[in-house]
Amino acid sequence: MATQHKTIDQQTLENLLYLSRLSPDSTDMETLKKQVDDIVGYFDILAKYDDSENPYDAYPSTEVDKLRDDTVVQGLDINDVKKVTDEFMDGYFQVPKVLGAGA
């Protein structure tokens, strides 16, 4: 015995025809209604399956997923930064010009 599933009404079918840019004259309405009803029936079948399980639970977590702790650490002193390069002036690193003469 076949199970009865939901069917669409005439207004919904006409809306689908409008959205798909099909005209009722160029389409066999009975065949189209049956096909759409079958598609709606497939959704009823799919709704029976539980999809509440998190799909990411299937994969083990790795160390890459873990972020570092938010801890405040002592930064570098300005004198230590000046020792890194001679291109340090007024609290900034001097870098080569990257734009052309026209900019």
Side-chain angles (χ1 to χ4, degrees):
M1 183 167 128
T3 59
Q4 185 65 20
H5 58 268
K6 296 177 186 175
T7 59
I8 62 166
D9 59 355
Q10 188 63 30
Q11 182 62 39
T12 305
L13 185 60
E14 290 174 10
N15 290 341
L16 286 172
L17 286 173
Y18 174 75
L19 290 172
S20 61
R21 305 293 191 251
L22 294 174
S23 67
D25 301 331
S26 67
T27 308
D28 180 19
M29 295 297 283
E30 300 232 355
T31 303
L32 182 65
K33 180 167 180 4
K34 182 185 177 319
Q35 290 173 343
V36 173
D37 285 341
D38 288 343
I39 292 170
V40 170
Y42 293 138
F43 283 105
D44 289 340
I45 293 170
L46 290 174
K48 294 178 184 175
Y49 294 97
D50 180 24
D51 64 347
S52 62
E53 182 180 327
N54 186 353
Y56 297 107
D57 289 343
Y59 304 104
S61 64
T62 61
E63 293 296 320
V64 176
D65 296 338
K66 295 182 182 175
L67 299 176
R68 63 176 172 80
D69 294 331
D70 273 340
T71 55
V72 179
V73 295
Q74 180 66 34
L76 295 174
D77 290 331
I78 199 72
N79 290 331
D80 294 333
V81 174
K82 287 182 182 179
K83 292 178 188 175
V84 173
T85 180
D86 294 334
E87 304 294 321
F88 189 78
M89 298 174 69
D90 299 328
Y92 297 98
F93 287 100
Q94 187 178 10
V95 295
K97 185 175 183 180
V98 293
L99 298 176

